[in-house]
């Protein structure tokens, strides 16, 4: 590797140590066929690495963007991957796309969002946040559906589901995002309308003004989940249809928990009962 290559990749280990078990929803779960699971895990590993790159405090914004650009070039085949583990995840994704025919944009669009995260830490409006989710979340659903050969009719409900899940995650992590990353995804316009302040996220619990912002965001999540409810019936592959039905159920249950519980006081999580109930609900949907 020449000096320029070394300067791009650097020597910093930016791994967060997180894995699939740290996510709200199962990655490459048993509902996905054994044949498809390695492809899903390759995609997840790549997504985790680029997420870690942008969230690390060991790199400045310019270094983050340079490394993300290098990852994109590896995925597109215009750069040879180094032997570093992070670069190798991009190489495996490139090989996976060549083998499956899934559009490469389902990975490179994620990089668009993470480059934005490197330099942008506040969002003015709900529409601005939804546009961010278009790149940070929606490609994940499109990847899974394209991998299973699903048609374009699934795109709208899938995007709604992925955006709902992303906003739910922003609400779960709202206090930690500000404290650890100086990042806030709550729309500033709605914060000002309700009289909430960023400093309120540092408190031990959500004040009424901040709670109203959460509820306004959850109103939008509920509308997105309603649209996402159409997705399972549009999916042809039976296992993927079940996976979609379970995730829609989990998204609705987690949104309901965020209505009842306070994400400032502690991270709101799904219970085992939520998971079992979502699976039972999915069986009813599929059976019907």
């Amino acid at each position: 590797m020449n000096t320029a290559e070394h300067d791009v990749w650097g020597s910093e280990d930016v791994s967060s140590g997180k894995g699939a078990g740290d996510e709200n929803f199962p990655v490459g779960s048993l509902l996905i066929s054994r044949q498809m699971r390695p492809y899903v895990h390759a995609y997840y590993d790549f997504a985790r690495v680029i997420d870690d790159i942008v969230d690390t405090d060991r790199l400045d914004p310019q270094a983050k963007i340079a490394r993300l650009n290098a990852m994109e070039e590896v995925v597109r085949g215009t750069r040879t991957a180094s032997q570093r583990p992070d670069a190798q995840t991009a190489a495996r994704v490139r090989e996976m796309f060549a083998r499956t025919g899934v559009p490469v944009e389902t990975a490179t669009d994620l990089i668009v969002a993470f480059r934005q995260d490197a330099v942008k830490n506040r969002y003015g409006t709900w529409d601005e946040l939804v546009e961010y989710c278009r790149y940070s979340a929606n490609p994940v659903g499109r990847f899974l559906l394209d991998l299973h050969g699903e048609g374009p009719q699934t795109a709208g409900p899938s995007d709604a589901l992925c955006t709902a899940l992303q906003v739910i995650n922003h609400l779960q992590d709202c206090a930690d995002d500000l404290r650890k990353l100086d990042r806030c995804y709550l729309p500033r316009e709605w914060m000002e309308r309700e009289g909430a302040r960023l400093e309120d996220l540092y408190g031990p619990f959500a004040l009424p003004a901040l709670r109203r912002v959460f509820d306004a965001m959850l109103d939008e999540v509920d509308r997105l989940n309603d649209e996402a409810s159409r997705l399972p019936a549009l999916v042809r592959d039976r296992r993927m249809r079940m996976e979609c039905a379970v995730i829609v159920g989990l998204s609705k249950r987690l949104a309901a928990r965020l209505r009842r519980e306070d994400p400032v006081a502690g991270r709101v999580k799904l219970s085992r009962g939520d998971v079992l109930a979502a699976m039972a609900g999915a069986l009813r949907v599929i059976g019907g």
Side-chain angles (χ1 to χ4, degrees):
M1 183 188 300
N2 62 33
T3 303
E5 287 285 295
H6 179 75
D7 288 344
V8 170
W9 295 112
S11 58
E12 297 86 352
D13 177 12
V14 299
S15 173
S16 67
K18 292 181 181 178
D22 297 287
E23 301 299 312
N24 281 323
F25 306 100
V27 177
S29 79
L30 294 176
L31 291 173
I32 292 176
S33 71
R34 187 172 299 174
Q35 177 187 2
M36 297 296 187
R37 244 173 274 163
Y39 301 141
V40 176
H41 284 296
Y43 184 84
Y44 171 82
D45 290 343
F46 169 79
R48 170 53 59 199
V49 164
I50 59 176
D51 191 24
D52 287 347
I53 288 171
V54 79
D55 283 351
T56 186
D57 59 3
R58 300 185 185 98
L59 300 174
D60 63 26
Q62 291 73 27
K64 291 177 182 180
I65 289 172
R67 194 175 291 190
L68 289 169
N69 288 345
M71 292 285 280
E72 179 171 2
E73 289 166 5
V74 172
V75 171
R76 292 189 180 277
T78 59
R79 175 189 288 269
T80 302
S82 77
Q83 293 305 307
R84 287 177 52 91
D86 50 1
Q88 287 301 306
T89 65
R92 285 193 292 274
V93 162
R94 181 182 65 212
E95 292 167 6
M96 179 268 291
F97 286 136
R99 193 169 300 154
T100 63
V102 174
V104 69
E105 287 75 20
T106 57
T108 59
D109 278 359
L110 296 177
I111 295 176
V112 172
F114 292 144
R115 275 196 293 256
Q116 183 169 306
D117 275 335
V119 296
K120 180 180 177 69
N121 57 6
R122 300 289 187 271
Y123 285 79
T125 66
W126 172 258
D127 288 344
E128 197 177 338
L129 182 58
V130 168
E131 179 65 11
Y132 168 77
C133 295
R134 172 186 170 190
Y135 293 98
S136 68
N138 298 2
V140 178
R142 293 195 177 213
F143 164 75
L144 289 169
L145 292 165
D146 284 343
L147 183 65
H148 286 80
E150 300 298 335
Q153 73 276 7
T154 61
S158 172
D159 288 351
L161 176 59
C162 292
T163 296
L165 295 175
Q166 181 74 89
V167 174
I168 284 170
N169 187 248
H170 291 331
L171 287 169
Q172 286 177 291
D173 294 342
C174 59
D176 279 349
D177 280 346
L178 186 63
R179 190 178 298 112
K180 296 177 181 178
L181 303 171
D182 188 32
R183 197 180 294 155
C184 182
Y185 296 98
L186 308 184
R188 183 178 64 250
E189 182 179 79
W190 291 3
M191 295 277 284
E192 292 173 352
R193 181 186 69 196
E194 301 299 342
R197 306 171 305 156
L198 279 180
E199 292 78 10
D200 296 343
L201 290 167
Y202 293 121
F205 54 85
L207 296 172
L210 191 57
R211 182 70 252 181
R212 290 194 295 272
V213 175
F214 294 163
D215 289 341
M217 294 178 74
L218 288 168
D219 288 343
E220 296 298 331
V221 167
D222 288 346
R223 282 188 273 274
L224 290 165
N225 278 333
D226 285 344
E227 170 65 10
S229 296
R230 299 195 304 113
L231 179 60
L234 300 173
V235 174
R236 296 185 297 263
D237 182 271
R238 190 175 187 281
R239 296 178 73 119
M240 190 61 198
R241 187 162 67 247
M242 182 70 177
E243 176 89 350
C244 291
V246 169
I247 294 177
V248 169
L250 292 174
S251 182
K252 289 180 177 181
R253 287 184 169 276
L254 192 43
R257 276 195 172 273
L258 283 162
R259 292 274 190 191
R260 302 190 304 268
E261 301 176 27
D262 183 356
V264 175
R267 198 168 198 272
V268 177
K269 299 179 181 180
L270 291 162
S271 69
R272 180 178 174 81
D274 287 324
V275 175
L276 292 174
M279 293 182 71
L283 286 170
R284 288 193 297 271
V285 168
I286 300 303

